[in-house]
Amino acid sequence: MTTLDRMLDGLPRKAQNTIYGALDNLRVMSSVGNLKVAASMAPSVYRGLIKGTARDGDAVQMPGRHAAHFSLTYQGEFPEMYDLYRRAVANQWNGDRDLDWATSVDLENPDTMVMPLDYPPFAGLEAKGIKLNDKEKLRFANDIASWTLSQFMHGEQGALYAAAQVTESVQWMDGKFYGATQVMDEGRHLEVFLRYLDTKLQKVYAVNDNLFVILDDLLTDSRWDVKFLGMQIMVEGLALGAFGTMYNFTREPLLKQLLKYVIQDEARHVHYGVLALREHITKELTPAEVREREDWSYEVALLMRNRFLSHEIYYEWFEGRLSLKDWDEVILNAPSMAAFRHLMFLRLIPNLEYIGLMSDRIKAHYEKAGLTSFLGGKNATQLSADDLIRDISAYRAPVTAH
């Protein structure tokens, strides 16, 4: 038993959760070794984790401080980026026309479940003394599906605004052309996830505090390359891991097709990001600026790995029966979370390596986090959308009894 466990032992459950949550948030704020990174992230950490801004009201104001780069020459300077733009134009899809919304989604049919019963961590819950009957397991699985798809939807709203900001601020005209297609992509993704939640699952969860921190940080940062890094590499890497995990697990055909379309778009988005950032990071930034972006990426990577723990589900289902600390342990060790982490870092780490944000100094930190096994993998310039779908489909997460 740790010192914290001994301190919390015997306190009422609500008090335990309050203290544990506060200390956990402090660990996030104090874990950044780079003071400049800490200073840049602190306002978003405060708004998201301490103040809980996203839990109240109907909207959040995120002040934009970036400069729009208005070209006066209109010269094409980046042929590979222009080629990506032409491919994006040719591969646009229509959520209303290309998806069969007449598909009946039966939330109680085990053969076509949105979230099959091998996804939720029932074994881990049982080890903590939580046993659900068959009806409860079904409802819990559907709530996990609603929570997951809700976070997809919230992320796509953030991606929509970030793509618009990047299109304004990017310096290459070819990049502005491509950025315009990504704005359309993100708007379409937001539309289809909202429609699926509204018409098929009929339950929406609030944005997760940790996702809010990442989105708030990159949307309010004034530097165009940090917006690029945050959205095109980090958040899109998170999205590919999450979308890929659900694509593999779900048995519901409409959602399966929806996710396939979205994943194919995301492959282009990450490709766009690595093209722009490799050029910028390797040729234009100072060593100190590269170091700062390495540290920022590492902190966001850990935030994505360790903190998407479905606390909203915990408070709805288990607050009076299980401690928040035990819930976090169950989720972190769940096979579905292992699948998410694998698919996310399978693409994220090679992309960071390719764009020049994987020095020997920062590799030592990734080694401590157990993430260097993904080094040397294929980056986004080496993978087509079909390659991405194939790699996602080929991965098999460990399965546990439920």
Side-chain angles (χ1 to χ4, degrees):
M1 182 178 285
T2 66
T3 301
L4 177 60
D5 291 332
R6 287 193 293 271
M7 183 180 73
L8 296 179
D9 189 38
L11 291 176
R13 183 81 71 201
K14 188 172 183 179
Q16 288 185 28
N17 289 345
T18 299
I19 295 170
Y20 169 78
L23 292 175
D24 194 40
N25 290 338
L26 286 173
R27 278 194 292 270
V28 173
M29 296 186 72
S30 62
S31 66
V32 184
N34 188 314
L35 293 179
K36 198 169 183 180
V37 172
S40 72
M41 293 185 70
S44 295
V45 170
Y46 171 74
R47 285 192 291 272
L49 299 184
I50 308 301
K51 192 177 179 182
T53 302
R55 295 179 225 141
D56 299 315
D58 296 325
V60 175
Q61 300 299 318
M62 297 180 179
R65 303 181 180 91
H66 64 283
H69 183 97
F70 191 96
S71 176
L72 299 176
T73 63
Y74 297 92
Q75 291 182 348
E77 302 171 326
F78 215 135
E80 192 173 356
M81 202 171 282
Y82 183 76
D83 179 63
L84 197 62
Y85 160 67
R86 298 309 315 172
R87 283 163 47 196
V89 170
N91 287 285
Q92 293 288 308
W93 51 278
N94 184 313
D96 190 55
R97 179 195 64 210
D98 297 325
L99 292 171
D100 184 7
W101 292 100
T103 301
S104 176
V105 178
D106 185 349
L107 299 180
E108 297 186 359
N109 184 345
D111 295 326
T112 58
M113 286 189 69
V114 175
M115 195 67 81
L117 294 178
D118 55 358
Y119 186 95
F122 294 125
L125 287 170
E126 289 186 6
K128 298 293 184 181
I130 302 292
K131 294 185 178 181
L132 304 179
N133 61 38
D134 290 345
K135 187 175 181 180
E136 289 173 325
K137 285 183 176 181
L138 191 62
R139 186 163 61 87
F140 183 73
N142 288 325
D143 281 353
I144 288 282
S146 295
W147 181 87
T148 303
L149 288 168
S150 294
Q151 303 319 310
F152 292 177
M153 180 184 69
H154 298 311
E156 294 297 347
Q157 183 181 185
L160 172 61
Y161 304 146
Q165 290 183 350
V166 164
T167 302
E168 289 181 329
S169 57
V170 70
Q171 61 189 356
W172 303 286
M173 184 55 63
D174 296 322
K176 293 182 184 294
F177 288 153
Y178 178 80
T181 68
Q182 185 172 343
V183 172
M184 184 63 220
D185 286 346
E186 307 296 8
R188 185 172 58 248
H189 298 173
L190 175 57
E191 171 209 351
V192 295
F193 283 124
L194 173 60
R195 185 171 179 179
Y196 193 92
L197 282 162
D198 184 49
T199 63
K200 305 303 181 183
L201 295 181
Q202 299 177 342
K203 186 171 186 177
V204 175
Y205 285 85
V207 59
N208 177 267
D209 288 345
N210 301 285
L211 177 59
F212 177 83
V213 168
I214 295 172
L215 296 175
D216 184 80
D217 189 40
L218 68 92
L219 287 172
T220 57
D221 199 295
S222 62
R223 299 162 294 181
W224 76 267
D225 67 314
V226 173
K227 292 183 186 296
F228 244 91
L229 180 59
M231 180 50 59
Q232 305 300 118
I233 307 299
M234 307 305 295
V235 173
E236 296 289 9
L238 168 68
L240 283 173
F243 296 160
T245 303
M246 181 165 259
Y247 177 84
N248 273 355
F249 273 95
T250 189
R251 298 171 189 162
E252 199 287 290
L254 172 60
L255 181 59
K256 190 93 166 177
Q257 184 60 47
L258 184 160
L259 288 168
K260 183 175 182 179
Y261 279 134
V262 171
I263 289 168
Q264 289 171 337
D265 289 346
E266 303 293 354
R268 292 195 306 271
H269 300 171
V270 181
H271 191 164
Y272 172 47
V274 299
L275 287 178
L277 287 170
R278 180 176 170 84
E279 182 82 7
H280 179 69
I281 289 168
T282 58
K283 295 183 179 180
E284 299 181 24
L285 295 184
T286 67
E289 288 171 329
V290 172
R291 182 188 180 98
E292 181 186 351
R293 284 150 182 79
E294 281 187 332
D295 291 344
W296 186 86
S297 300
Y298 175 72
E299 294 302 332
V300 172
L302 292 190
L303 193 65
M304 295 191 302
R305 185 191 69 170
N306 295 341
R307 296 185 59 85
F308 287 93
L309 302 176
S310 316
H311 283 177
E312 296 80 4
I313 294 287
Y314 164 79
Y315 283 111
E316 181 180 2
W317 277 80
F318 304 119
E319 183 178 10
R321 304 166 63 189
L322 185 73
S323 72
L324 186 60
K325 182 177 182 291
D326 282 345
W327 168 262
D328 285 356
E329 181 183 330
V330 168
I331 295 298
L332 282 170
N333 293 321
S336 53
M337 182 60 76
F340 160 67
R341 288 193 296 263
H342 178 90
L343 292 174
M344 176 174 66
F345 288 111
L346 179 68
R347 298 279 73 90
L348 178 61
I349 298 298
N351 288 331
L352 289 172
E353 186 177 20
Y354 178 75
I355 64 178
L357 294 182
M358 197 59 70
S359 67
D360 289 341
R361 178 192 68 87
I362 203 68
K363 278 182 186 177
H365 292 280
Y366 282 102
E367 175 69 28
K368 290 178 183 177
L371 297 174
T372 50
S373 62
F374 298 98
L375 290 170
K378 290 185 177 181
N379 67 74
T381 68
Q382 301 170 307
L383 292 164
S384 68
D386 289 341
D387 292 333
L388 203 58
I389 292 290
R390 185 198 64 237
D391 289 351
I392 287 170
S393 300
Y395 179 70
R396 290 292 176 266
V399 176
T400 187
H402 58 264

